Structures are given as C-alpha cells and as structure tokens.
Amino acid sequence: MKHSRFYQTVVAIAMMLMGWLPSLAHDFEVDGICYNILSDNSVEVTYNGSSYNNDYEDVIIPETVTHDGSTYSVTSIGERAFYDSKLTSIKIPNSVTGIGNSAFAFCTSLTSLEIPNSVTSIGSYAFIECSSLASIEIPNGVTDIDERVFSFCTSLTSLEIPNSVTSIGSSAFYHCQGLTSIEIPDSVTSIGDYAFSGCSGLTSAVIGNGVTNIGERAFVYCSSLTSVEIRNGVTSIGVRMFEGCTSLTSVEIPNSVTCIDVEAFNMCTSLTSIEIPNSVTSIENHAFFNCTSLTNIEIPDSVTSIGSFAFDGCTSLSSVVIGNGVTSIGHYVFF
C-alpha cells in the first residue's frame, strides 16, 4: 500500500507540473458515470467533481448518452476518469477514440480490458500500476505508446505491439515483471529511456529494423533476458542499455551500430562472447565492466578508441585482439 501511495503522489505532482490536472467539475451524471461536454454532440467520461468515484467496479460505457433533451456521443475517456477506483472490468464502446492521461491509473483490481479499434491515442500514465491486468491488446490505430503507460503492470504477461506504433515512450513498460517476451515491429523508430527497465521476467526481445534510437537504460536489470535480436537500424548500444542483464549470454550487434556506449553491458555476468561489427568506431567507458564470463574479444580495425575501464573486471578474459585502427586506449581498460 505504501508503495502504491508513493507512486500516486509522484504521478499527481508530475501531472500538476505538466498541466495535466483537469478541472474539478463535471457537467452531468447518468447511471453513475460522470461526463464533461466537449461539443454540441460529444462528451468525455470524467470523474466526480472534486473527488474520485472509488466505488466503480463493473462499468459499461454507452456509445451515446442523453441529458436535458440532448443526445451526445461518448468519444473519449478523460484524464483520471477511473483513477484509483475498485474497477474490475469495463466495456469501452466503438465511439471512443481517445483514452486520457492516467485514465485508469492505480486500478489495481482491473484484470482485463478490451480497447476498441476506434481508439487512436492512449495518454501518459493511462494504466500505471494496474497490477492485476494480465493482458491487453493495443488497437491498430495507436501510433504512440506514451511514457509510463503500463509502468508497474506487474501481472502483464503478453503484449502485441501493432505495426501502427512508431514510438515507445520512456518507462512505458517499466517494471512489468510478468512480461516474458517482446517483439518490436519495424514501424517503431524510437524506444525511450527505461522503456523495459526492471522487466525481470523478460527472457527474449526482438528489436525491429525501423528502430534507430534506443534510450538510456532501456533494458536495465532485465535479469532473465537470455537473448536479444537487434536488427539493422540501431546506430548505438546506448548508455547502460543492458546493465544488470545477468542472464544474457550472447548478443548480435548489427552492422548499423557505430558506438557501444558507457556501461552498455555493465554486469552482464553470463555474457560469454560478443562479436563487434566493423561499423563500430568507439567503445566507451565501462562498456563491458564486470562481464565476468567473457572469455575472448576481438576489436575490429574500425574502432579508433577504447574508453577507460572498458573491460574492467572481465576476470575470465583469456585472449584479446586489438585492431589496427585503435589510436586511443583509456585508463585501466583491462584492469
């Protein structure tokens, strides 16, 4: 409970700073559901005035709702609409096109949810800490998986990212400990910082050809991750990308990569071998720090610099080949 309340406080502060908090009012209520009028013919689901309706359990949102003789189409689920409620199930109609920031945040009893294909946008923090949510299907119209959308969805075991998605935001799946595998389609071009950080149950990951940018610590402490397929497109193995991936035994680095960044494979203690392609020009500080199972390394002629402590603590390393292109070797590289 303390853990949950702490993150609720963090989310609330973040939303206040970014101007996400909606006005503390609703226009009308029908069958226990509150609505705000968006236009002459559309409304959004919202929460109850200055407080949240924590008594929500099983909810069916209608496609249309009538108030004061006017009929409105329900087109969105507004910010924090079901925030911290007892919601166990919900039916969303095909009239809904958007789900707002933190709409289902901290709905810890929500076990399943079907998002209709009409939905094209899902806001930040929308499902943060929905810890009972086991599966969810992202509709084909969604283009962005925003920041922290599924953070701490610890029961989420499977997820299919559709080809419509072009970006995965920072911490989008942070600490989704039940997630076992992930395949990122070619449509995705960027993966944010900490996107899959702390996904301790993740065993395999495939990164599509379209990805050119992967943020810092994207897979940090994915301790069960044994295999990673990085397809051509990625230009750098980013800062601490695989730090603490203690089950990772091998990685194939594509020819598109030019840099193995700071602490990229820090503490990958099961990594026994790695092939560095001819595209790589620099290996940064602590890149393979404490890779205690790494037995040999061949640095190609394309590499011009090796950072300090790059192979520090690689206690099983028995052979090293340094290419002709290296002009700079930092301090304590093989300490």
Side-chain angles (χ1 to χ4, degrees):
M1 181 60 71
K2 288 182 180 179
H3 169 83
S4 177
R5 294 298 171 190
F6 170 77
Y7 279 96
Q8 288 185 53
T9 303
V10 171
V11 172
I13 292 172
M15 290 174 67
M16 289 174 66
L17 292 174
M18 298 180 72
W20 285 351
L21 284 174
S23 60
L24 300 179
H26 65 280
D27 292 323
F28 64 90
E29 181 178 338
V30 176
D31 296 331
I33 300 176
C34 299
Y35 299 93
N36 276 334
I37 298 173
L38 300 176
S39 69
D40 289 341
N41 55 14
S42 68
V43 294
E44 68 172 3
V45 177
T46 188
Y47 63 92
N48 182 19
S50 61
S51 63
Y52 301 108
N53 187 349
N54 293 324
D55 295 329
Y56 282 129
E57 291 185 9
D58 299 316
V59 173
I60 298 176
I61 299 174
E63 287 196 6
T64 61
V65 64
T66 300
H67 173 67
D68 280 350
S70 297
T71 299
Y72 302 92
S73 177
V74 180
T75 58
S76 65
I77 298 173
E79 297 176 8
R80 299 167 74 105
F82 297 96
Y83 183 93
D84 193 26
S85 72
K86 299 174 182 176
L87 192 68
T88 57
S89 66
I90 186 167
K91 185 174 182 181
I92 301 172
N94 288 319
S95 57
V96 170
T97 59
I99 296 174
N101 300 324
S102 297
F104 297 94
F106 302 101
C107 291
T108 56
S109 298
L110 186 63
T111 57
S112 64
L113 175 71
E114 184 175 341
I115 303 175
N117 284 325
S118 56
V119 171
T120 57
S121 66
I122 301 174
S124 301
Y125 299 84
F127 297 95
I128 187 172
E129 209 157 322
C130 289
S131 54
S132 297
L133 191 63
S135 65
I136 194 164
E137 187 172 336
I138 299 172
N140 289 320
V142 172
T143 56
D144 301 303
I145 299 176
D146 222 327
E147 65 171 317
R148 290 190 179 272
V149 171
F150 299 103
S151 285
F152 293 101
C153 290
T154 52
S155 296
L156 193 64
T157 57
S158 64
L159 180 78
E160 185 175 341
I161 299 174
N163 289 320
S164 58
V165 172
T166 59
S167 68
I168 297 173
S170 60
S171 301
F173 299 94
Y174 185 78
H175 272 268
C176 289
Q177 296 167 345
L179 200 61
T180 56
S181 65
I182 192 74
E183 183 169 348
I184 298 168
D186 294 343
S187 59
V188 174
T189 59
S190 66
I191 300 172
D193 296 346
Y194 295 94
F196 297 94
S197 173
C199 292
S200 56
L202 193 66
T203 59
S204 65
V206 177
I207 300 172
N209 289 323
V211 176
T212 57
N213 179 48
I214 301 177
E216 295 184 9
R217 300 169 173 87
F219 294 91
V220 67
Y221 295 112
C222 292
S223 55
S224 298
L225 190 64
T226 58
S227 65
V228 178
E229 182 181 343
I230 306 172
R231 296 173 181 166
N232 284 319
V234 175
T235 56
S236 71
I237 306 298
V239 173
R240 295 184 173 180
M241 186 183 294
F242 298 106
E243 180 181 16
C245 293
T246 53
S247 298
L248 193 62
T249 56
S250 64
V251 178
E252 187 173 338
I253 300 175
N255 288 320
S256 55
V257 169
T258 59
C259 173
I260 299 174
D261 219 324
V262 175
E263 299 184 46
F265 295 97
N266 180 21
M267 294 188 295
C268 290
T269 53
S270 296
L271 191 65
T272 56
S273 64
I274 192 161
E275 184 175 340
I276 300 173
N278 288 319
S279 57
V280 172
T281 59
S282 66
I283 298 171
E284 299 298 329
N285 297 345
H286 296 92
F288 296 92
F289 182 76
N290 270 355
C291 290
T292 55
S293 297
L294 196 62
T295 57
N296 60 79
I297 194 76
E298 184 172 345
I299 298 168
D301 293 343
S302 59
V303 173
T304 59
S305 65
I306 304 172
S308 298
F309 301 94
F311 297 93
D312 180 9
C314 295
T315 53
S316 297
L317 200 61
S318 59
S319 69
V320 177
V321 177
I322 299 176
N324 291 323
V326 174
T327 57
S328 172
I329 300 177
H331 298 296
Y332 304 103
V333 170
F334 299 100
F335 186 68

